[in-house]
Amino acid sequence: MTVRKYIQVNQDIEKGKYEEETFIDWYKKHYKKKFDFNLVDKFFGNEEDIVGDVLIVDEASTIDDEELVEFTNYCLDNSDEFKLVFIGDHCQLPPIGQEKSNAFDGQWFENKLNFDVFGKQRTGFLGGLTGNSTFEILQLTQSHRVSEGPLFELAKKLRPLAENNSSGEEARRIISNSINNSEILGYGKDPCFQELGKKFKDNPSNVIFLAPGNKDSFKNGQELRKIFYPEVFKTLDKGEYVRVFANGIKENFVTGDEFEIVEVVDDFDKFVVVKAREITRSEEFTGYSFMQRIADLFNIFDNKEDNIATIAIYKNALTDFSLWSRRGAVPRMRTEIQDAWEQIGWENDDDRTVDDVLICRYAYGSTVHSAQGGEWDTVALLLDGKSKNDTARFWYTAATRAKKELFVLRTD
């Protein structure tokens, strides 16, 4: 769930919009498909044992300061006791428009919000009675990738550059010099796309092309679709894959969520209504000893059954790049599709409702920013030094999306 939706639901409960009196009761009702209630009872059977809220915020490096302040202020205003846990990689890309994410900066939380931060140590004059604080950050150092091999070694070489926020030239050189025809392979475009076609046939949800720029990712995603589905001429068909590029109108699904289309329910001029299987990437966590210890807790939210959602997808966003090249493209599209969807009047009874109305793109290509938080077995990366995002942090984020194979396309 998005931070913004968490706040909105709690505010709606306070206003009496829902019959449920607590967020937990609301969540159990509206997300019942995701719960294993036996495990819920196991961990939370005695409500008297629960003191305060624990909120875990994943991919916290992508949260900007404005949303951090709004979220934490809401928690302060509405809970007597709570704990916030931020998980993420501070070496990955920060929120757009910021040089870093303050979600991992204990000093920022202490100074800006007067929070009590775990692991605080005072330093400075008079044995720490004055001066700044230092903070211990818990390091989840065990990688979920292989613990050895070319991809692992590449990440180890790139990480110090990303941590120092170095320029991209050295990072690109390291990636190019790591090409070895084993895990990290160098290709021209045509051979690369042919190889991606073979990989897609064997494992369709685990192949992606990444590019620095919006136009390159969109264009190459379209080309790959023709290779992956040479006999499909509709805008969207059964068996295809889409990726959400903006939080849904109802915010039940968020940027980065992926779906496999299992049935086309209805097709309009601007929308296609489908039943789709939500693709999870829970295998990302399998190697972390931390995650293994709380595996049962995470299983509460995964009843091992496919989560099938009914969603409306804005068709023009799949095929018309001009919509993405406008200033303020996403906010403009959100406004346009909300008005257009309401005019259709498709949701007219209990049997005709959608879980969300989404702005998607084909899941075969993505920008590096949009791919942050996801991982794929096979990643093709356009290594373009002319990108305005030519930083070590950018290329570290891009290269570490690959779990098994990285195909490198160089433009020089």
Side-chain angles (χ1 to χ4, degrees):
M1 173 176 291
T2 63
V3 166
R4 190 167 302 280
K5 181 158 187 178
Y6 173 79
I7 295 172
Q8 185 63 56
V9 168
N10 277 283
Q11 290 174 339
D12 288 342
I13 290 172
E14 291 170 8
K15 295 174 183 177
K17 181 177 178 180
Y18 301 109
E19 61 183 32
E20 295 80 26
E21 295 182 356
T22 68
F23 175 80
I24 293 296
D25 289 339
W26 179 90
Y27 194 91
K28 285 182 179 180
K29 178 179 178 180
H30 292 269
Y31 288 79
K32 60 184 178 181
K33 291 181 180 178
K34 295 188 177 183
F35 277 101
D36 183 326
F37 282 102
N38 291 326
L39 287 173
V40 172
D41 293 338
K42 175 182 176 181
F43 280 90
F44 304 117
N46 186 353
E47 293 186 1
E48 294 180 356
D49 293 339
I50 303 174
V51 179
D53 295 329
V54 177
L55 300 174
I56 300 175
V57 183
D58 198 9
E59 295 300 333
S61 64
T62 63
I63 303 175
D64 62 30
D65 289 352
E66 182 179 353
E67 193 158 45
L68 269 178
V69 170
E70 181 182 1
F71 175 50
T72 51
N73 280 345
Y74 182 81
C75 292
L76 285 168
D77 292 341
N78 292 275
S79 180
D80 295 330
E81 185 174 344
F82 67 95
K83 294 179 177 65
L84 296 177
V85 180
F86 293 100
I87 299 176
D89 186 348
H90 68 284
C91 291
Q92 290 188 20
L93 291 169
I96 294 175
Q98 294 185 200
E99 292 186 0
K100 68 169 187 173
S101 169
N102 282 312
F104 307 125
D105 187 340
Q107 193 73 60
W108 185 87
F109 274 100
E110 186 179 68
N111 295 342
K112 183 82 174 178
L113 302 170
N114 198 30
F115 265 48
D116 185 17
V117 181
F118 173 83
K120 179 173 68 174
Q121 298 176 341
R122 298 294 291 177
T123 60
F125 184 61
L126 295 178
L129 295 179
T130 62
N132 291 326
S133 302
T134 60
F135 300 89
E136 177 186 359
I137 296 178
L138 296 179
Q139 300 286 350
L140 304 182
T141 55
Q142 184 175 347
S143 174
H144 56 282
R145 303 177 184 88
V146 292
S147 58
E148 59 183 15
L151 281 174
F152 183 79
E153 293 301 318
L154 175 60
K156 284 173 58 178
K157 292 176 182 177
L158 292 175
R159 188 174 178 83
L161 297 177
E163 201 151 19
N164 293 325
N165 203 18
S166 303
S167 69
E169 184 176 0
E170 177 65 10
R172 285 185 286 105
R173 185 189 66 79
I174 289 173
I175 293 173
S176 294
N177 290 343
S178 298
I179 294 173
N180 62 358
N181 295 323
S182 174
E183 291 190 13
I184 306 171
L185 302 94
Y187 279 105
K189 180 177 177 179
D190 290 342
C192 176
F193 278 25
Q194 291 174 11
E195 191 64 25
L196 288 177
K198 297 176 185 176
K199 298 290 182 182
F200 183 85
K201 186 176 181 180
D202 294 334
N203 194 3
S205 65
N206 259 304
V207 176
I208 198 166
F209 177 93
L210 299 183
N214 201 13
K215 187 174 183 179
D216 281 330
S217 69
F218 190 91
K219 175 184 175 183
N220 286 289
Q222 296 275 6
E223 290 185 32
L224 284 169
R225 181 180 183 243
K226 294 178 182 177
I227 294 173
F228 297 163
Y229 299 97
E231 298 180 359
V232 172
F233 301 100
K234 300 178 181 178
T235 304
L236 199 61
D237 207 350
K238 179 181 176 180
E240 290 206 74
Y241 291 80
V242 294
R243 200 159 195 263
V244 181
F245 266 68
N247 292 359
I249 296 301
K250 300 183 180 182
E251 295 219 16
N252 287 325
F253 298 107
V254 299
T255 301
D257 284 344
E258 298 174 55
F259 296 93
E260 177 189 4
I261 309 303
V262 297
E263 179 186 349
V264 176
V265 177
D266 225 334
D267 200 341
F268 299 96
D269 180 42
K270 293 184 178 181
F271 295 94
V272 56
V273 180
V274 300
K275 290 189 180 297
R277 179 177 66 87
E278 188 176 359
I279 297 172
T280 62
R281 299 192 178 276
S282 57
E283 65 269 17
E284 294 172 19
F285 305 113
T286 54
Y288 285 127
S289 58
F290 170 75
M291 293 298 183
Q292 288 174 334
R293 289 171 191 164
I294 60 172
D296 283 344
L297 182 60
F298 270 81
N299 284 340
I300 290 173
F301 305 101
D302 183 6
N303 61 11
K304 308 304 179 185
E305 296 179 4
D306 284 345
N307 183 28
I308 304 297
T310 302
I311 54 178
I313 297 173
Y314 184 43
K315 291 166 64 175
N316 292 356
L318 292 168
T319 58
D320 186 357
F321 179 72
S322 67
L323 295 177
W324 296 95
S325 61
R326 302 176 295 176
R327 183 181 296 276
V330 169
R332 290 176 68 175
M333 273 193 277
R334 282 176 63 88
T335 300
E336 291 164 1
I337 69 171
Q338 189 161 11
D339 293 342
W341 180 248
E342 289 175 358
Q343 289 176 12
I344 291 175
W346 195 85
E347 296 184 271
N348 53 23
D349 58 45
D350 291 341
D351 294 329
R352 285 172 63 89
T353 60
V354 295
D355 295 297
D356 218 334
V357 183
L358 302 174
I359 300 169
C360 297
R361 284 170 36 173
Y362 297 118
Y364 321 122
S366 175
T367 62
V368 175
H369 273 96
S370 295
Q372 189 164 330
E375 292 177 339
W376 293 261
D377 286 351
T378 302
V379 171
L381 173 62
L382 180 61
L383 199 65
D384 185 359
K386 297 178 182 179
S387 167
K388 64 180 180 180
N389 298 306
D390 189 27
T391 65
R393 188 176 289 175
F394 182 86
W395 297 115
Y396 167 78
T397 302
T400 53
R401 299 310 91 206
K403 292 195 291 184
K404 293 183 179 179
E405 293 178 303
L406 178 65
F407 296 170
V408 180
L409 281 78
R410 292 179 293 190
T411 58
D412 54 5

